[in-house]
Amino acid sequence: MQTEDYVPQPVPFVSPPKWHLAHTTWFFEEFILKEYLPGYNVFNPDFSFLFNSYYNNVGKRVLRTNRGAITRPATSKIIEYRHYVDMHMELLLQMKASEPHFHDLIELGLNHEQQHQELLLTDIKYILSCNPISPVYNEEIQWEDQQNESSGFLTIPEGVYGIGFEDVGFCFDNEMGRHKVYLHQFEIANSLVTNAQYLEFINAGGYENFNYWLDEGWSWVNENKINAPLYWHKTDEGWQHFTLSGMQNLNPNAIVTHISFYEASAFAQWKKMRLPTEFEWEVASLQLDWGKRWEWTYSAYLPYPGFCRAEGAIGEYNGKFMINQMVLRGGSCATSAHHTRSTYRNFFHPEERWQFNGIRLVKI
Amino acid sequence: MQTEDYVPQPVPFVSPPKWHLAHTTWFFEEFILKEYLPGYNVFNPDFSFLFNSYYNNVGKRVLRTNRGAITRPATSKIIEYRHYVDMHMELLLQMKASEPHFHDLIELGLNHEQQHQELLLTDIKYILSCNPISPVYNEEIQWEDQQNESSGFLTIPEGVYGIGFEDVGFCFDNEMGRHKVYLHQFEIANSLVTNAQYLEFINAGGYENFNYWLDEGWSWVNENKINAPLYWHKTDEGWQHFTLSGMQNLNPNAIVTHISFYEASAFAQWKKMRLPTEFEWEVASLQLDWGKRWEWTYSAYLPYPGFCRAEGAIGEYNGKFMINQMVLRGGSCATSAHHTRSTYRNFFHPEERWQFNGIRLVKI
Amino acid sequence: MQTEDYVPQPVPFVSPPKWHLAHTTWFFEEFILKEYLPGYNVFNPDFSFLFNSYYNNVGKRVLRTNRGAITRPATSKIIEYRHYVDMHMELLLQMKASEPHFHDLIELGLNHEQQHQELLLTDIKYILSCNPISPVYNEEIQWEDQQNESSGFLTIPEGVYGIGFEDVGFCFDNEMGRHKVYLHQFEIANSLVTNAQYLEFINAGGYENFNYWLDEGWSWVNENKINAPLYWHKTDEGWQHFTLSGMQNLNPNAIVTHISFYEASAFAQWKKMRLPTEFEWEVASLQLDWGKRWEWTYSAYLPYPGFCRAEGAIGEYNGKFMINQMVLRGGSCATSAHHTRSTYRNFFHPEERWQFNGIRLVKI
Amino acid sequence: MQTEDYVPQPVPFVSPPKWHLAHTTWFFEEFILKEYLPGYNVFNPDFSFLFNSYYNNVGKRVLRTNRGAITRPATSKIIEYRHYVDMHMELLLQMKASEPHFHDLIELGLNHEQQHQELLLTDIKYILSCNPISPVYNEEIQWEDQQNESSGFLTIPEGVYGIGFEDVGFCFDNEMGRHKVYLHQFEIANSLVTNAQYLEFINAGGYENFNYWLDEGWSWVNENKINAPLYWHKTDEGWQHFTLSGMQNLNPNAIVTHISFYEASAFAQWKKMRLPTEFEWEVASLQLDWGKRWEWTYSAYLPYPGFCRAEGAIGEYNGKFMINQMVLRGGSCATSAHHTRSTYRNFFHPEERWQFNGIRLVKI
């Protein structure tokens, strides 16, 4: 990484790396230090405005689409900010180690930061891909080469199942409200779709046949001239793809990634199969090998029974996004260790594909 | 109605009345007469191109957004077309009355036409509302004045319930696949939200407080400067609204209508209640008085277990729209008699509000 | 024409025919009858709002881009309005025939109406062209077949020339301010570019070679996928074009029309010639055969020395449009007889091409 | 300046500082070193693609609007590139000092770089202004405080005048073609409009009265909610403006700047005066004190008689932009010393205002 790489926001859904560094720090300052550390002086009063992401309750903030124009504070100043906040967090923990009432917020802040660690990597990948010279982020990262370790299908019998978090430890509010669902019997793949399988779909004219596509997916394909996963390039030497270790030949045995829900759904339709619901996935997950790709489900991101938005800024974390997005389950190569779990609900719009997502099929 | 009213398409989601008349006729010609009536001559070979709505399998078609520029054929020619097709349908029925294999298509064509009858009325309302002089469509239509006939809440106990069509007679493919769901106990209102109740929300600053809104709903409110239901106008004499019988004073006791999902959801949030899921609605509906407004549910429009798109053009009827839309249940004042039922699934994007839709609440 | 043809506004720069009929009538009512006919009752008080085009001084008005959604008043009602206003204009003239102070306004109203007569025809052509079935407006109009009656080049010597109106009779304010310009010697074509010559440009790759184009013209070509004049269609039987008498084979000997300034300029660049300035054109025009096509000049539409916008609504007629438009000189097949003259200045944006415009070249 | 400031392109018309540094270097490499220095090895073969601005003849290039996403090469690498090219330019000059045939290109390259030096400063100002914390570029730059040194009006008599470059030394191709124009007598201000005068216009409701505005200017004001020059902010302590030395109080005696042609034209209309033509300006300039602000003229940017685009890439320098832009004359506080002259023609679209431009009036 060079300092310049920390700055741009090439598309609205990608944030500048320097913004991620500052925003995750801001979370601890805004919600914990200002509240619980007596006599705490904020590092810089402008930062509250600059690095609020979407918390309307916290006050005015920079428009999301303008983040790439904000060059100050410099990255080095943000690193200082991180050290300052880290130091005060340590102080707070020493002073009040036995007081549990803000431990929940610290846990939330850490999980929040882990989410941004993943975004940081996928955003860096996107930013570097905008350079026509295909720079290398890290030679050693070979995530796009990961392969399946299982095959075949798993049968889950009909019945009433429990859904949602009931463990001890941390979970997000969107996983809570343990409740029952009735599932009919289904057969779910033990493996994810591979590049070779996806190439078959491409070569069979998958991107040219409207019958496989949802109507809005078909418009998306045509308006954006989509004909392959994100980062794929057809060259005279065959298919290549941009990775965090630069431009590489496509490995047919690896698991396909960087596909939208629309593409996942079209692929399933072409295979005369379907995507699992998030409930089927959660029930089956205990017997599946997962964690290399976020897996698209055919479930919209909706509240569980009894879900209720918390009061104030913390209540803005999840609930207000419960429209027009699809649930992904599992976790990916870019997810922090121990961050995800069977009940974890990730969500993106159906056209988004810059995450390391994949496809798992269910028989019809 | 004057001839001019049959022409415009003021926004992409509203079709010209003359187009509705031609398109519903085309359905019978394209899918039944061309297939089953020996020696049938199409009325005009251009019409297949002109009046195809969204069936990619039938061939090229006019872009949906350009319908308002197509002045020919004239409305009178389309009426001729209807008579021609009606006459040949009668002929077909006489000749082949005992042959059941195309009866399903006739039933589908009739139900399709009923759907367009409702759209015709809501589209006419929208078109007339674009005239600054507020013309009257029909003095006698007083739909916006309809009131609730019940009150209070109904409790539905926890348990496994059957969902989907299992009756005899017609239903759409999206209702099929009778299956079981598990519902937790809930309490659902016997009445729909009224204008008076909605005015309370407005007067309480409902449109100015982001805490009530989904994030994309809040953007929609701000970008479009929304501050009341569609067709409402604040005048010096109080609130008025445009109706099919012209501009009228708002009746506080009537059931609110022309609200988007975003508004329904914000209203529920303000009331510290929620919208029902489509499954809760279906189970409760047998004990509810419904049919005056389409009722927004907090269920996304998704396939039922086992749903499978039919091959060919008929398969495009429903399945390809199962993304980014929310389910409405019930039926409205503008729905054809006997067209709807407890299992009927209507669907619109969350910002759409030119249908006669309403809000029913469930306690949290 | 059918009633339906009077309604649409397929693109913002095309107005509905019914609007033209009403707006030209409104001009007489608003600026003459309301002012000078004692006791005049306006036909309908809403019309002032509905049929104001761009006169901010007259009050609020319908947004230009929404004209196609306004179906009321019906065309028949507008015809009534015209008769009503005509009748009162006759009355006014009888009563006050000898009073000259409003004669100027009547003359302006008549010239205004003649301008709209031309727009009416070009707008009707555009509207009918949106019908995939290529309707015929009038079999007898053969304007697109007009040919040159002269050839060769005319030399105009260097010197000081007078520019602008100095005749008796009517002219627009943008022609006034007779003034001197210095012209260097130039040679201007006696004939306009023909379809055959323009086809040579197309066949020589004129639309694919950026060297011929202005930078914004090249963007316009690529963004709109332009590869021929408006209304031209390449078919298996050769080039056809849509005309007021329906779809016709292209006549190579006829004068090319429906080209933008960008195309005229690119054609000239390819020919290693240039377009005349409006001053060169005006000076040469006395010796030229002109009047079949509006002719693009390489002069921007700017005020003459001493030009001054009149106070009030009449001052909005011309002056406020003097930016971002290019001057056309001459007149076209669609121009009313006796409406144009050597000093007449027409003006359009460089991408507009639905008028009957053409190309006259000057040697470099 | 910090490294981060070199990266963003907040709006399409502003280029990243690092791009300016690379592009001006590329000009020497592409047009001179590759052609005239035997055995020259390009610094990096990718740079030809990356740093071509708009020369279609040189090959494919990065879309202008994507420059802000290109983080590589880093600024430090671009500085290396500059040193490498500088060194080779020196070598070339030593080797071939007496050969004059590429001296013209060197002179063009230097003038090209001077143009970008000015843009670099105005682009840096724009970029820094996007930071909500108003950073200081250089405390010592006080350009916005410059004042007039003359007053009153100058009268230029009617007559034939020569226009265009006829001196020895460098000029751009758009100034060439010395030719005669006829000017009528006019009176031109010796001073430029000041902040105090412009504030009068604002306080008189200048931004709310359509009568002062060109039609497209009025749309621009309303769509963009313009109510003051760029960088002005109304605060509780009065008007402030963002400058290269940070946020400052507005100096009423200083010359107004950062106004669009639309604003200049509206101000003149309000004053019942007008802007000069570029010919009037050129003739008067010998007796005027100018050079603090680029001055808007009411002349469109059009070719002089006899202007002819050179063949190849160099021909793309000026000619292809001669549409939809207005001429500015003079030069500004940010212009390199000795770069401008009386015949110099600068040009921008009428809404652009991030240059240091101003208003000089002429009596009507």
Side-chain angles (χ1 to χ4, degrees), chain C residues 56-57 158 160 179-182 184 210-211 213-216 261-262 269 272 298-300 302-303 309 311 316 319-324 326 349-350, chain D residues 56-57 158 160 179-182 184 210-211 213-216 261-262 269 272 298-300 302-303 309 311 316 319-324 326 349-350:
Chain C
N56 293 304
N57 279 293
E158 180 166 7
V160 174
H179 64 286
K180 296 178 195 150
V181 302
Y182 194 97
H184 290 258
F210 55 80
N211 278 307
W213 295 83
L214 290 164
D215 192 55
E216 297 187 11
F261 174 81
Y262 291 131
Q269 184 79 13
K272 299 192 197 308
Y298 207 148
S299 290
L302 300 173
R309 280 159 67 167
E311 295 280 322
E316 296 187 54
K320 74 180 181 182
F321 299 111
M322 290 178 174
I323 191 70
N324 292 333
M326 300 305 283
H349 289 93
Chain D
N56 293 302
N57 279 291
E158 177 167 10
V160 173
H179 65 284
K180 296 177 194 152
V181 302
Y182 194 97
H184 291 260
F210 55 81
N211 278 308
W213 295 84
L214 291 165
D215 192 57
E216 298 187 10
F261 174 82
Y262 292 131
Q269 184 79 15
K272 297 195 199 306
Y298 207 150
S299 291
L302 300 174
R309 279 159 69 169
E311 295 280 320
E316 296 186 56
K320 73 179 183 184
F321 298 112
M322 290 178 174
I323 191 71
N324 291 332
M326 300 305 282
H349 290 94

Side-chain angles (χ1 to χ4, degrees), chain A residues 46 96 119 199:
Chain A
D46 290 326
K96 307 206 174 183
L119 287 171
L199 274 166

Side-chain angles (χ1 to χ4, degrees), chain A residues 136-203:
Chain A
V136 170
Y137 171 70
N138 183 333
E139 285 288 0
E140 281 161 36
I141 295 182
Q142 300 291 343
W143 290 336
E144 291 86 351
D145 273 338
Q146 289 174 310
Q147 300 187 20
N148 286 304
E149 284 151 35
S150 322
S151 64
F153 282 80
L154 171 69
T155 302
I156 302 287
E158 180 166 7
V160 174
Y161 292 91
I163 291 293
F165 192 77
E166 59 171 356
D167 223 335
V168 291
F170 177 82
C171 79
F172 285 107
D173 61 351
N174 60 9
E175 302 166 59
M176 288 192 289
R178 177 78 175 178
H179 64 286
K180 295 179 195 151
V181 302
Y182 194 96
L183 296 184
H184 290 259
Q185 178 175 309
F186 63 98
E187 293 174 69
I188 189 167
N190 284 312
S191 59
L192 298 176
V193 170
T194 64
N195 287 333
Q197 291 169 320
Y198 202 84
L199 274 166
E200 272 183 67
F201 169 67
I202 295 180
N203 294 334

Side-chain angles (χ1 to χ4, degrees), chain D residues 61-75:
Chain D
R61 57 199 158 89
V62 168
L63 276 185
R64 176 162 183 170
T65 46
N66 293 353
R67 288 178 190 161
I70 298 173
T71 59
R72 312 286 182 100
T75 310

Side-chain angles (χ1 to χ4, degrees), chain B residues 200-267:
Chain B
E200 272 183 67
F201 169 68
I202 295 179
N203 295 335
Y207 283 95
E208 286 102 52
N209 186 336
F210 56 81
N211 278 308
Y212 306 136
W213 295 84
L214 290 164
D215 190 57
E216 298 187 10
W218 185 239
S219 300
W220 172 80
V221 161
N222 287 291
E223 280 161 23
N224 299 285
K225 301 193 174 60
I226 305 290
N227 53 22
L230 184 62
Y231 303 131
W232 285 34
H233 300 269
K234 198 169 193 172
T235 73
D236 292 345
E237 285 80 41
W239 284 99
Q240 297 199 305
H241 60 163
F242 179 73
T243 74
L244 283 167
S245 51
M247 197 63 78
Q248 305 281 346
N249 291 323
L250 197 72
N251 177 347
N253 299 320
I255 309 171
V256 73
T257 191
H258 296 304
I259 41 86
S260 66
F261 174 82
Y262 291 130
E263 289 164 299
S265 152
F267 180 88

